[in-house]
mmCIF file of all heavy atoms in Angstrom:
data_model
loop_
_atom_site.group_PDB
_atom_site.id
_atom_site.type_symbol
_atom_site.label_atom_id
_atom_site.label_comp_id
_atom_site.label_asym_id
_atom_site.label_seq_id
_atom_site.Cartn_x
_atom_site.Cartn_y
_atom_site.Cartn_z
ATOM 1 N N GLY A 153 108.821 101.104 88.011
ATOM 2 C CA GLY A 153 109.994 100.939 87.154
ATOM 3 C C GLY A 153 110.925 99.860 87.662
ATOM 4 O O GLY A 153 111.501 99.098 86.862
ATOM 5 N N GLY A 154 111.078 99.751 88.983
ATOM 6 C CA GLY A 154 111.885 98.666 89.547
ATOM 7 C C GLY A 154 111.335 97.299 89.215
ATOM 8 O O GLY A 154 112.068 96.352 88.909
ATOM 9 N N ASN A 155 110.010 97.184 89.286
ATOM 10 C CA ASN A 155 109.363 95.926 88.885
ATOM 11 C C ASN A 155 109.649 95.611 87.421
ATOM 12 O O ASN A 155 110.005 94.457 87.069
ATOM 13 C CB ASN A 155 107.848 96.042 89.092
ATOM 14 C CG ASN A 155 107.410 95.820 90.522
ATOM 15 O OD1 ASN A 155 107.178 94.694 90.926
ATOM 16 N ND2 ASN A 155 107.291 96.900 91.271
ATOM 17 N N ALA A 156 109.472 96.592 86.575
ATOM 18 C CA ALA A 156 109.665 96.379 85.132
ATOM 19 C C ALA A 156 111.110 96.021 84.815
ATOM 20 O O ALA A 156 111.375 95.126 83.986
ATOM 21 C CB ALA A 156 109.240 97.640 84.364
ATOM 22 N N LEU A 157 112.047 96.698 85.442
ATOM 23 C CA LEU A 157 113.460 96.411 85.180
ATOM 24 C C LEU A 157 113.794 94.985 85.622
ATOM 25 O O LEU A 157 114.528 94.277 84.932
ATOM 26 C CB LEU A 157 114.335 97.417 85.902
ATOM 27 C CG LEU A 157 115.850 97.240 85.743
ATOM 28 C CD1 LEU A 157 116.253 97.192 84.288
ATOM 29 C CD2 LEU A 157 116.596 98.348 86.482
ATOM 30 N N ARG A 158 113.259 94.558 86.747
ATOM 31 C CA ARG A 158 113.498 93.166 87.182
ATOM 32 C C ARG A 158 112.951 92.173 86.148
ATOM 33 O O ARG A 158 113.562 91.135 85.898
ATOM 34 C CB ARG A 158 112.850 92.922 88.531
ATOM 35 C CG ARG A 158 113.584 93.553 89.709
ATOM 36 C CD ARG A 158 113.066 92.964 91.025
ATOM 37 N NE ARG A 158 113.400 91.561 91.093
ATOM 38 C CZ ARG A 158 112.640 90.637 91.723
ATOM 39 N NH1 ARG A 158 111.505 90.992 92.283
ATOM 40 N NH2 ARG A 158 113.026 89.388 91.755
ATOM 41 N N ALA A 159 111.806 92.497 85.555
ATOM 42 C CA ALA A 159 111.223 91.605 84.542
ATOM 43 C C ALA A 159 112.129 91.536 83.320
ATOM 44 O O ALA A 159 112.332 90.453 82.740
ATOM 45 C CB ALA A 159 109.829 92.083 84.177
ATOM 46 N N VAL A 160 112.664 92.673 82.906
ATOM 47 C CA VAL A 160 113.556 92.675 81.739
ATOM 48 C C VAL A 160 114.821 91.891 82.040
ATOM 49 O O VAL A 160 115.306 91.098 81.213
ATOM 50 C CB VAL A 160 113.900 94.127 81.336
ATOM 51 C CG1 VAL A 160 114.958 94.159 80.243
ATOM 52 C CG2 VAL A 160 112.642 94.849 80.857
ATOM 53 N N ARG A 161 115.381 92.084 83.210
ATOM 54 C CA ARG A 161 116.582 91.306 83.583
ATOM 55 C C ARG A 161 116.260 89.817 83.581
ATOM 56 O O ARG A 161 117.075 88.980 83.120
ATOM 57 C CB ARG A 161 117.055 91.728 84.959
ATOM 58 C CG ARG A 161 117.676 93.130 85.021
ATOM 59 C CD ARG A 161 117.913 93.521 86.465
ATOM 60 N NE ARG A 161 118.601 94.810 86.615
ATOM 61 C CZ ARG A 161 118.715 95.466 87.753
ATOM 62 N NH1 ARG A 161 118.182 94.960 88.868
ATOM 63 N NH2 ARG A 161 119.349 96.620 87.790
ATOM 64 N N ALA A 162 115.100 89.439 84.104
ATOM 65 C CA ALA A 162 114.727 88.020 84.190
ATOM 66 C C ALA A 162 114.536 87.382 82.823
ATOM 67 O O ALA A 162 114.721 86.173 82.667
ATOM 68 C CB ALA A 162 113.457 87.860 85.018
ATOM 69 N N ALA A 163 114.198 88.199 81.817
ATOM 70 C CA ALA A 163 114.035 87.663 80.469
ATOM 71 C C ALA A 163 115.339 87.210 79.856
ATOM 72 O O ALA A 163 115.358 86.381 78.920
ATOM 73 C CB ALA A 163 113.377 88.709 79.560
ATOM 74 N N ALA A 164 116.464 87.734 80.353
ATOM 75 C CA ALA A 164 117.800 87.276 79.959
ATOM 76 C C ALA A 164 118.038 87.358 78.455
ATOM 77 O O ALA A 164 118.477 86.402 77.822
ATOM 78 C CB ALA A 164 118.054 85.843 80.470
ATOM 79 N N LEU A 165 117.754 88.527 77.892
ATOM 80 C CA LEU A 165 117.908 88.736 76.451
ATOM 81 C C LEU A 165 119.143 89.557 76.145
ATOM 82 O O LEU A 165 119.593 90.385 76.946
ATOM 83 C CB LEU A 165 116.682 89.450 75.888
ATOM 84 C CG LEU A 165 115.375 88.658 75.902
ATOM 85 C CD1 LEU A 165 114.231 89.528 75.411
ATOM 86 C CD2 LEU A 165 115.489 87.385 75.061
ATOM 87 N N GLU A 166 119.679 89.354 74.941
ATOM 88 C CA GLU A 166 120.779 90.154 74.439
ATOM 89 C C GLU A 166 120.226 91.197 73.475
ATOM 90 O O GLU A 166 119.136 91.034 72.912
ATOM 91 C CB GLU A 166 121.785 89.240 73.685
ATOM 92 C CG GLU A 166 122.451 88.207 74.588
ATOM 93 C CD GLU A 166 123.342 88.831 75.644
ATOM 94 O OE1 GLU A 166 123.891 89.922 75.375
ATOM 95 O OE2 GLU A 166 123.479 88.226 76.724
ATOM 96 N N PRO A 167 120.990 92.293 73.238
ATOM 97 C CA PRO A 167 120.559 93.276 72.258
ATOM 98 C C PRO A 167 120.264 92.617 70.916
ATOM 99 O O PRO A 167 121.003 91.731 70.468
ATOM 100 C CB PRO A 167 121.758 94.230 72.176
ATOM 101 C CG PRO A 167 122.405 94.146 73.528
ATOM 102 C CD PRO A 167 122.248 92.699 73.916
ATOM 103 N N GLY A 168 119.183 93.050 70.290
ATOM 104 C CA GLY A 168 118.782 92.500 69.002
ATOM 105 C C GLY A 168 117.828 91.346 69.081
ATOM 106 O O GLY A 168 117.170 91.009 68.079
ATOM 107 N N GLU A 169 117.712 90.701 70.245
ATOM 108 C CA GLU A 169 116.743 89.623 70.378
ATOM 109 C C GLU A 169 115.336 90.207 70.552
ATOM 110 O O GLU A 169 115.164 91.381 70.864
ATOM 111 C CB GLU A 169 117.120 88.708 71.554
ATOM 112 C CG GLU A 169 118.409 87.929 71.286
ATOM 113 C CD GLU A 169 118.690 86.879 72.329
ATOM 114 O OE1 GLU A 169 118.773 87.242 73.527
ATOM 115 O OE2 GLU A 169 118.831 85.687 71.961
#
Side-chain angles (χ1 to χ4, degrees):
N155 279 273
L157 179 55
R158 286 194 65 212
V160 173
R161 290 171 176 168
L165 293 176
E166 297 294 330
E169 292 189 303

